Amino acid sequence: MGPSPPTAHRSRKKRKPEHSTSNGAVIFDSSKIEKPAFPLVAFFWPAKGTNTSQWIILPLILMLIFLFRWCTGMWPYSGFQKPPMHGDFEAQRHWMELTANLPVTHWYFHDLEWWGLDYPPLTAYHSWALGRIGWLIEPEWFRLYLSRGADDTDLKVFMRATVVLSESLVYIPAAVLCVRQLARLHNINAWEPSIALTALLMQPATILVDHGHFQYNTVMLGFTLATIASMLAGRPLWSCVFFVGALGFKQMALFYAPAVAAYLAGICISPRLDAPRLLGIAIVTLASFAVLFLPLLLGTAYDTYRNVPLPSDATLPPLLSSLPWTPSEKAWYYPYLTQLAQAFHRIFPFSRGLFEDKVANLWCAIHTSGLHKLHNYDSALLSRAALGLTLASITPPCALLFFRPRKAMIPYAFAATAWGFFLCSYQVHEKNVLLPLLPMTLLLATDGGIKAATRAWVGFANLLACWTLFPLLVKDQLRIPYFVLTGLWAWLMALPPVSIGAYTVSGEEGGLSVVSKVLHLGVYATMVAWHVVEAWVPPPNGKPDLWVVANVCFGAAGFGLCYLWCLWRLVEESGLLSGKGPAKRREEVSKKKQ
């Protein structure tokens, strides 16, 4: 018989043997006996050194995270029994009834004073699908005008279930794939990625915002994880598709856009110019945007065919008047142009101001602290200042990623860019902090990611973010879920204020530097003291927001440290200072040992 025909099958990359660990899950006591480095590792200890199938471990993780999500959902939500506008729960419910009851051409025009639709088209399609399902279950939940402020218990269960369902279809599968791709890139032992995955899916801020306050951020974050996973897998065209999905669901995915563009452009010129790849990325991106807006345009065509007029109170979008020509209302393209212009006008509301409510970023800290009152300046000037400072903060990480497009740099670049946007950008919400937290928490799945040095910084960012969300969560009556989820996560990761395990490790053994320990413990002490004061000491007369302002200022300072740390680690990973990245140096050390 002749030789067997060649096959396209590629064998999987071999993992490190189970008795060695590069990720920091195992430590040794004085008797040189292995033991878990922190409580979360202890839960997975039986899987260490065995061939336990991931199909056994993964269902356990999913059951755990579902339990805490559903328990959080039992508590009140944003705007519960708080007329007249209620809150984000009512906004999401209203978008479901709006899209399910009205023609497509009315979606971005209808009653803009009552939670008018201001998210990209994929959110509209998502709301339409959920609204149609809800209408089949109980039409009274989604009767236009008549169901406003509905707080029926069954409606609450349905809405909470839609968050879990949406998350299960997008975020969780993408998280599993992304963590596995990172583990494969860094050659992490087979059981350790499960620890990082659990820490990611148990992020308290994400659970509190989406399953407590009530939003669908995890859909956008799931598309972002799929984008990163595709980059790590060497599939740039798929990363374009998934990132357009992220942008199409929530415009705040723009926080990641410069890093995505920098990496995709970088791999087209390094190590040599790859024109076909660049052309493919451009074509797939444009095609993805076309598919994103296609249902909106098809719906417009159908309504135009039926002569469906715009709402009687509709005003034409300002973008139409800024065009270099005056479009005729009788032109065939006029209805489509009007819909697109209105959608962009609603998605990018530059007239709303520099920031909303009290958010722990640079502008709000400057304004609310009294350091400088920003309302004295023209909004156009503030917009330009925010743009300039944002560009200054995101240029270093994006430039590094562009000129040295290494896969190991992707989480650091995403995190640093998102921190830059959060701290310096325009129209930032307190919930936008979820964006830099996602790639920063992914670092747990990298080489040495759950050693004390990296784990402490990842935990610091996550717990500080929850603390800055506390004033928002108190309004939603989520004080107890806040303490339970943040306390549980801190204990699982051996972090303050529950444990100082991550801070007892010396720098030689993978711990933090003395300076980082002092900064972290000082911020943790401030957070604990703030909670004591907020609970027992009323603010002085004439300054009812004093404690919230203190939260904003300390939070912004802490997030600034997170930005600087991510940027410094990105520089280290790029090898800019030494000529070799950490991954290359680790490879050389491994060869010497052999």
Side-chain angles (χ1 to χ4, degrees):
M1 294 178 64
S4 59
T7 175
H9 172 72
R10 293 184 298 174
S11 60
R12 288 189 176 184
K13 191 176 182 180
K14 290 184 179 180
R15 298 287 184 89
K16 291 184 179 181
E18 288 294 312
H19 62 271
S20 66
T21 177
S22 61
N23 206 26
V26 178
I27 59 176
F28 296 89
D29 60 18
S30 57
S31 302
K32 303 298 182 182
I33 298 176
E34 290 184 338
K35 66 177 184 178
F38 49 94
L40 182 57
V41 177
F43 283 99
F44 293 94
W45 200 251
K48 180 183 179 297
T50 66
N51 293 321
T52 304
S53 170
Q54 292 299 308
W55 294 109
I56 296 176
I57 297 176
L58 187 58
L60 297 175
I61 297 174
L62 298 182
M63 286 188 285
L64 173 69
I65 64 171
F66 173 77
L67 171 66
F68 286 99
R69 280 159 166 75
W70 199 250
C71 287
T72 302
M74 294 173 62
W75 289 79
Y77 46 78
S78 170
F80 177 65
Q81 296 182 348
K82 290 182 180 179
M85 297 301 292
H86 300 279
D88 281 349
F89 181 92
E90 170 60 19
Q92 301 289 346
R93 187 209 61 81
H94 175 61
W95 293 350
M96 292 179 193
E97 71 178 3
L98 180 157
T99 53
N101 286 283
L102 294 177
V104 172
T105 50
H106 287 212
W107 286 3
Y108 283 101
F109 284 95
H110 177 76
D111 197 1
L112 302 181
E113 295 301 318
W114 184 267
W115 299 113
L117 181 61
D118 56 2
Y119 275 11
L122 194 54
T123 286
Y125 311 149
H126 176 257
S127 298
W128 174 84
L130 297 180
R132 298 305 299 178
I133 295 171
W135 180 273
L136 294 175
I137 297 173
E138 176 51 76
E140 295 301 321
W141 294 341
F142 303 106
R143 292 201 183 277
L144 203 61
Y145 298 111
L146 302 178
S147 300
R148 290 185 175 181
D151 56 6
D152 180 78
T153 302
D154 292 337
L155 171 62
K156 176 183 175 181
V157 172
F158 170 77
M159 296 290 283
R160 294 294 197 192
T162 62
V163 179
V164 173
L165 176 63
S166 302
E167 188 175 88
S168 301
L169 292 176
V170 182
Y171 181 70
I172 293 175
V176 173
L177 291 174
C178 192
V179 167
R180 288 184 177 177
Q181 287 294 338
L182 275 172
R184 186 170 296 144
L185 174 68
H186 292 272
N187 202 18
I188 303 299
N189 289 331
W191 71 291
E192 291 180 318
S194 299
I195 302 167
L197 177 64
T198 305
L200 176 66
L201 296 179
M202 282 292 291
Q203 268 186 300
T206 304
I207 297 175
L208 288 166
V209 170
D210 274 23
H211 299 271
H213 176 82
F214 196 89
Q215 284 195 341
Y216 295 94
N217 293 295
T218 47
V219 177
M220 180 272 297
L221 295 175
F223 282 120
T224 302
L225 286 169
T227 302
I228 296 174
S230 299
M231 290 177 171
L232 297 173
R235 296 183 173 90
L237 299 184
W238 276 110
S239 69
C240 297
V241 174
F242 289 127
F243 191 64
V244 169
L247 289 171
F249 195 82
K250 285 202 172 188
Q251 59 269 45
M252 65 183 185
L254 283 168
F255 280 32
Y256 302 125
V260 173
Y263 180 78
L264 293 178
I267 61 175
C268 291
I269 66 167
S270 179
R272 65 186 65 86
L273 180 64
D274 192 338
R277 172 180 280 180
L278 180 61
L279 181 62
I281 288 173
I283 292 174
V284 170
T285 301
L286 292 175
S288 299
F289 274 112
V291 172
L292 173 66
F293 283 92
L294 183 60
L296 181 68
L297 296 177
L298 289 176
T300 302
Y302 182 58
D303 289 349
T304 302
Y305 171 76
R306 295 187 300 154
N307 292 318
V308 175
L310 291 176
S312 58
D313 60 345
T315 57
L316 293 180
L319 286 176
L320 284 182
S321 60
S322 63
L323 293 174
W325 82 97
T326 303
S328 171
E329 294 186 15
K330 296 182 179 180
W332 67 268
Y333 59 81
Y334 186 79
Y336 308 98
L337 188 63
T338 301
Q339 288 297 321
L340 291 175
Q342 180 67 2
F344 280 106
H345 173 64
R346 294 294 299 161
I347 293 168
F348 301 106
F350 290 105
S351 60
R352 289 188 185 177
L354 194 57
F355 52 85
E356 286 198 9
D357 209 355
K358 303 290 193 301
V359 54
N361 78 341
L362 179 65
W363 302 112
C364 188
I366 291 173
H367 180 77
T368 58
S369 66
L371 187 64
H372 203 72
K373 291 299 181 182
L374 299 178
H375 64 263
N376 296 325
Y377 295 92
D378 180 67
S379 61
L381 177 62
L382 293 176
S383 298
R384 290 194 293 271
L387 176 62
L389 199 57
T390 302
L391 288 175
S393 67
I394 68 174
T395 297
C398 292
L400 282 171
L401 193 61
F402 174 71
F403 289 109
R404 294 173 177 253
R406 301 175 180 175
K407 293 178 180 179
M409 295 168 59
I410 291 173
Y412 293 106
F414 269 60
T417 304
W419 279 125
F421 267 98
F422 180 81
L423 287 167
C424 307
S425 188
Y426 195 88
Q427 251 303 294
V428 174
H429 300 252
E430 59 270 74
K431 291 156 287 190
N432 292 158
V433 75
L434 298 179
L435 280 92
L437 288 184
L438 177 69
M440 200 167 176
T441 308
L442 281 177
L443 296 175
L444 296 172
T446 62
D447 189 20
I450 50 182
K451 287 183 178 178
T454 301
R455 174 164 47 95
W457 273 103
V458 171
F460 175 79
N462 274 276
L463 295 172
L464 181 64
C466 291
W467 181 68
T468 62
L469 289 169
F470 182 77
L472 171 72
L473 299 172
V474 167
K475 294 178 184 178
D476 300 335
Q477 304 174 51
L478 296 172
R479 186 186 296 262
I480 292 178
Y482 161 83
F483 283 112
V484 170
L485 290 172
T486 54
L488 173 66
W489 200 81
W491 173 73
L492 288 172
M493 304 296 288
L495 296 168
V498 180
S499 169
I500 59 170
Y503 294 87
T504 59
V505 182
S506 66
E508 292 79 8
E509 298 174 345
L512 288 171
S513 66
V514 174
V515 174
S516 294
K517 289 180 181 179
V518 171
L519 286 173
H520 283 204
L521 295 176
V523 173
Y524 280 121
T526 301
M527 290 161 59
V528 172
W530 182 90
H531 273 302
V532 174
V533 172
E534 184 272 337
W536 299 103
V537 181
N541 294 331
K543 295 183 178 180
D545 294 331
L546 181 61
W547 307 145
V548 178
V549 170
N551 182 292
V552 166
C553 295
F554 277 105
F559 291 150
L561 293 176
C562 294
Y563 165 77
L564 293 174
W565 179 81
C566 290
L567 184 59
W568 175 250
R569 287 297 302 269
L570 179 64
V571 172
E572 286 187 324
E573 195 68 46
S574 70
L576 187 64
L577 301 179
S578 63
K580 299 175 183 177
K584 184 68 174 177
R585 292 197 299 271
R586 287 190 292 266
E587 183 180 339
E588 291 179 355
V589 171
S590 176
K591 287 181 179 179
K592 287 180 181 180
K593 289 181 178 179
Q594 294 175 357

